[in-house]
């Protein structure tokens, strides 16, 4: 679970609610017609703009933001190093036995096992990267549109409230409460846009960048394996995708080469590939 996302949205809503209760009567911030205008109008306009399937995919992706951890590029680098060792010991054909949750890594290993050319591997994996960016962009665009529509419908609700208020100017005592109700829809629209829709779109964009980095590591690692580079050369090429402080030490026999200034970095090697005959190499979750 991504606790940063969960903590962010809970703390944001909690602080706003606390400020409302500390400011006095919280009942004045509840207006059902205003919520209907903002929430219903935003959803209706979004459905009118994009396909229904894109909307459902967007909400599924939003759920993933809170339930799935970020992918770790260091783990992918470790996996590609293990695959490099396997290819040197047993040949490229052995990579066809790789089992992985990442369909891209599995496909790349199959291409290596089939002795595909460098250009074929590069083009295939680049197409995977481009299609992933396109799919994720359509999902992010749904929340960006909702983030734009919500304040607009909030303003629309305010105008409706002002019209109703001005129609009752003969009764001055109702002007103040009516004005408060009219402004609530603007509050609802701004709240949904700034606390929910736009932050989710931003988080999905960050996830896309992380996944693209992993796919680029797979692509460059496969090219290095194909050209029969030593696994230390593979590491040197792939380490550039990480900040220097996060690069993990790599062992060379009994010696250890540390390319990081402090030797820090992400721990663990999910999906470590084994070179034994009875154990298949495994990749990380993709």
């Amino acid at each position: 679970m991504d606790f940063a996302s969960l903590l962010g949205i809970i703390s944001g809503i909690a602080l706003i609610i606390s400020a409302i209760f500390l400011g006095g009567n919280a009942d004045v911030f509840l207006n059902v017609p205003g919520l209907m205008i903002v929430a219903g109008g935003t959803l209706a306009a979004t459905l009118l703009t994009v396909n229904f399937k894109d909307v459902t995919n967007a909400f599924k992706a939003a759920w993933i933001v809170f339930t799935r951890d970020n992918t770790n590029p260091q783990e992918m680098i470790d996996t590609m190093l293990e695959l490099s060792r396997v290819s040197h010991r047993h040949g490229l054909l052995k990579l066809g036995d790789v089992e992985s949750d990442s369909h891209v890594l599995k496909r790349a290993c199959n291409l290596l096992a089939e002795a595909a050319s460098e250009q074929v591997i590069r083009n295939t994996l680049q197409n995977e990267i481009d299609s992933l960016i396109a799919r994720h962009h359509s999902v992010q665009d749904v929340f960006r549109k909702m983030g734009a529509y919500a304040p607009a419908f909030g303003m629309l609700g305010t105008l409706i409230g002002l019209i109703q208020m001005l129609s009752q100017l003969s009764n001055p005592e109702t002007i103040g409460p009516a004005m408060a109700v009219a402004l609530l829809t603007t509050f609802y629209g701004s709240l949904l846009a700034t606390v929910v829709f736009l932050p989710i779109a931003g988080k999905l964009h960050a996830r896309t960048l992380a996944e693209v980095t992993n796919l680029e590591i797979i692509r460059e690692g496969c090219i290095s394996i194909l050209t029969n580079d030593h696994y230390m050369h593979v590491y040197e090429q792939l380490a550039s995708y990480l900040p220097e402080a996060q690069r993990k030490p790599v062992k060379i026999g009994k010696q250890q080469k540390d390319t990081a200034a402090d030797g820090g970095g992400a721990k663990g090697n999910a999906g470590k590939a084994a070179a034994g005959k009875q154990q298949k190499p495994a990749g990380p979750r993709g």
Side-chain angles (χ1 to χ4, degrees), residues 29-135:
F29 285 89
L30 181 61
N31 182 257
V32 176
L35 285 172
M36 292 172 59
I37 292 173
V38 175
T42 299
L43 182 59
T46 304
L47 290 173
L48 184 63
T49 306
V50 300
N51 295 328
F52 180 77
K53 185 178 180 179
D54 290 335
V55 176
T56 56
N57 289 338
F59 282 99
K60 290 178 182 178
W63 175 253
I64 291 175
V65 167
F66 298 103
T67 58
R68 186 176 299 176
D69 291 331
N70 287 323
T71 53
N72 189 345
Q74 179 63 64
E75 293 180 357
M76 183 59 73
I77 292 177
D78 293 341
T79 298
M80 298 310 298
L81 293 177
E82 291 298 330
L83 295 178
S84 176
R85 293 188 183 101
V86 170
S87 68
H88 276 86
R89 294 172 185 172
H90 305 280
L92 292 175
L93 187 61
K94 185 67 175 178
L95 297 180
D97 297 333
V98 168
E99 296 293 339
S100 174
D101 292 334
S102 170
H103 76 278
V104 177
L105 180 59
K106 178 62 178 176
R107 187 178 183 185
C109 289
N110 287 338
L111 289 173
L112 288 173
E114 294 167 0
S117 66
E118 176 180 343
Q119 193 61 37
V120 169
I121 294 176
R122 187 178 297 277
N123 290 342
T124 300
L125 297 184
Q126 186 59 48
N127 289 339
E128 290 281 358
I129 294 174
D130 294 340
S131 62
L132 180 140
I133 293 174
R135 291 194 307 270

Side-chain angles (χ1 to χ4, degrees), residues 107-226:
R107 187 178 183 185
C109 289
N110 287 338
L111 289 173
L112 288 173
E114 294 167 0
S117 66
E118 176 180 343
Q119 193 61 37
V120 169
I121 294 176
R122 187 178 297 277
N123 290 342
T124 300
L125 297 184
Q126 186 59 48
N127 289 339
E128 290 281 358
I129 294 174
D130 294 340
S131 62
L132 180 140
I133 293 174
R135 291 194 307 270
H136 286 203
H137 177 76
S138 63
V139 170
Q140 298 161 23
D141 194 49
V142 170
F143 286 103
R144 292 193 188 99
K145 283 182 169 60
M146 295 180 76
Y149 290 146
F153 277 98
M155 184 59 65
L156 180 62
T158 297
L159 293 175
I160 293 173
L162 289 176
I163 292 172
Q164 294 175 342
M165 180 193 71
L166 293 175
S167 65
Q168 299 178 2
L169 284 179
S170 57
N171 188 2
E173 295 180 355
T174 63
I175 294 178
M179 176 64 76
V181 173
L183 293 176
L184 275 178
T185 54
T186 299
F187 169 74
Y188 293 149
S190 299
L191 179 66
L192 288 175
T194 57
V195 179
V196 181
F197 298 142
L198 295 180
I200 290 178
K203 176 64 74 171
L204 291 174
H205 177 67
R207 287 292 182 88
T208 298
L209 295 179
E211 291 190 33
V212 167
T213 299
N214 273 356
L215 295 187
E216 290 177 344
I217 289 173
I218 293 175
R219 182 190 62 197
E220 298 305 320
C222 287
I223 298 301
S224 297
I225 292 173
L226 181 66

